[in-house]
Amino acid sequence: MSSPPQYGPSFAGKPSADMLELPQLSAAKESFSSELPSPVASPRQRRWNPARLEDALWSAIPIILYLAGIAIVAAALFQTSLPCLSIQQVGGTGAIDFGILGSCAITPNSTVKMCTSSAISADFTPSLIAISTGLPGFAVMNLPFRSVQSQTVFVVSLVLFITSFLFYLPVWTLYNFPSTRLPRPIMRLLRFYPKWFYQIASALSFIAMCFIVSIGVGYKLLMLAYLNAFNQALLEAYEAGLVGVGGTTLWDGAVGPGFDLVWAGCVFVGLTTVGIHISLHQCDYEKIERYEDDNLAY
């Protein structure tokens, strides 16, 4: 009697070739799967991603330039320790230092330094009165008594640069911290028109730079004109024999290092403008537009 037909693989006797290959294929598949990289990075890898760290450092450069530019321009305006024009008594203690918004003076034969308060309408008269007793002839009349236009332009340039920073800061914040919560109207405006904020910040920064350059050059030329007139008046007083009469002495003047701060501030403002243009060229605003905020109702 013949045995019934077998329709499946026979488990009796010697195993077939297919049965030997199945475990090998399974082992190879498991080995290949273990070698594939994980599609989801761990939180630690996301936190210390070198690309994100490099991007954060580059994006922080405009903020650093903004803060440095504001600090330098403000220092150039309000300080008098680095004057724009300095007049020193030869062989004495008298001196007068002209800043942008104020001045300081030391009376001859004294060591007390008197400074005027900072103001847009700078009044240098108190400082001139303090040193007038040591100046021969009418030399004191050839020094600036007050200044208004230059100080106004300097202050306007600083205000424009600060305004540029206020336009740039929100888009910079949303670019680097997309989940930041801001007032709803501002968020809507930033999400729909981030490019406008970049463009306005860039335009204001560029205008501020032009103002600082132009008024810096103009104010330096003005100080040089006063210095030349003062030296000419001293020469005429010396030729007339007025030096030494009534305690008057010779004085020496020079343009001070205050303009170095002006040029440094101009450089930082210019670099900030370039940095904003780089952000525009890289289309950083597109990341702000594409970010989806589920809690924001457009």
Side-chain angles (χ1 to χ4, degrees):
M1 183 175 179
S2 61
S3 61
Q6 295 183 0
Y7 298 98
S10 176
F11 293 95
K14 185 178 180 180
S16 63
D18 294 338
M19 295 180 63
L20 293 175
E21 291 178 358
L22 287 175
Q24 296 177 0
L25 291 174
S26 177
K29 183 177 179 181
E30 293 178 359
S31 176
F32 179 74
S33 300
S34 63
E35 293 176 359
L36 290 175
S38 176
V40 181
S42 64
R44 187 178 185 86
Q45 290 174 339
R46 292 197 301 267
R47 187 180 306 168
W48 297 105
N49 190 346
R52 293 187 62 187
L53 179 60
E54 181 181 359
D55 187 42
L57 291 176
W58 278 107
S59 63
I61 290 178
I63 296 296
I64 296 174
L65 293 176
Y66 262 119
L67 297 178
I70 292 173
I72 293 175
V73 174
L77 285 175
F78 294 101
Q79 62 83 35
T80 53
S81 57
L82 296 176
C84 295
L85 177 62
S86 181
I87 307 294
Q88 304 287 332
Q89 185 181 24
V90 177
T93 60
I96 182 171
D97 295 329
F98 294 93
I100 297 178
L101 299 181
S103 61
C104 292
I106 300 177
T107 305
N109 302 322
S110 175
T111 57
V112 179
K113 191 173 187 179
M114 183 273 299
C115 296
T116 62
S117 57
S118 299
I120 295 179
S121 179
D123 186 7
F124 306 131
T125 306
S127 298
L128 293 173
I129 293 174
I131 66 167
S132 60
T133 56
L135 290 172
F138 296 98
V140 69
M141 303 300 295
N142 294 276
L143 293 174
F145 280 79
R146 65 173 56 245
S147 181
V148 179
Q149 291 85 357
S150 301
Q151 284 71 14
T152 302
V153 177
F154 269 118
V155 172
V156 168
S157 63
L158 179 60
V159 171
L160 287 175
F161 192 55
I162 294 175
T163 306
S164 171
F165 175 70
L166 295 178
F167 272 94
Y168 182 78
L169 185 60
V171 288
W172 178 87
T173 302
L174 289 181
Y175 178 81
N176 293 278
F177 308 100
S179 60
T180 302
R181 299 298 179 190
L182 296 174
R184 189 177 296 272
I186 298 178
M187 286 289 287
R188 288 178 176 177
L189 192 62
L190 290 172
R191 296 295 185 194
F192 281 116
Y193 309 106
K195 187 176 180 180
W196 288 10
F197 281 79
Y198 281 103
Q199 292 173 337
I200 293 173
S202 176
L204 292 176
S205 179
F206 179 74
I207 295 173
M209 181 190 68
C210 294
F211 278 8
I212 294 173
V213 171
S214 60
I215 199 58
V217 172
Y219 196 61
K220 186 171 184 177
L221 292 176
L222 180 65
M223 293 293 105
L224 286 173
Y226 277 119
L227 180 60
N228 291 334
F230 177 75
N231 290 334
Q232 183 64 30
L234 283 180
L235 179 60
E236 294 174 357
Y238 179 78
E239 292 175 349
L242 298 178
V243 176
V245 178
T248 59
T249 61
L250 289 176
W251 293 66
D252 185 25
V255 174
F259 289 103
D260 295 339
L261 281 178
V262 176
W263 309 140
C266 181
V267 169
F268 276 93
V269 174
L271 291 175
T272 303
T273 306
V274 174
I276 299 174
H277 275 283
I278 292 175
S279 298
L280 277 171
H281 180 71
Q282 293 179 342
C283 299
D284 290 350
Y285 55 88
E286 292 183 355
K287 178 182 177 181
I288 301 175
E289 292 174 341
R290 291 195 305 263
Y291 181 77
E292 295 180 359
D293 189 356
D294 297 333
N295 297 322
L296 180 62
Y298 289 119

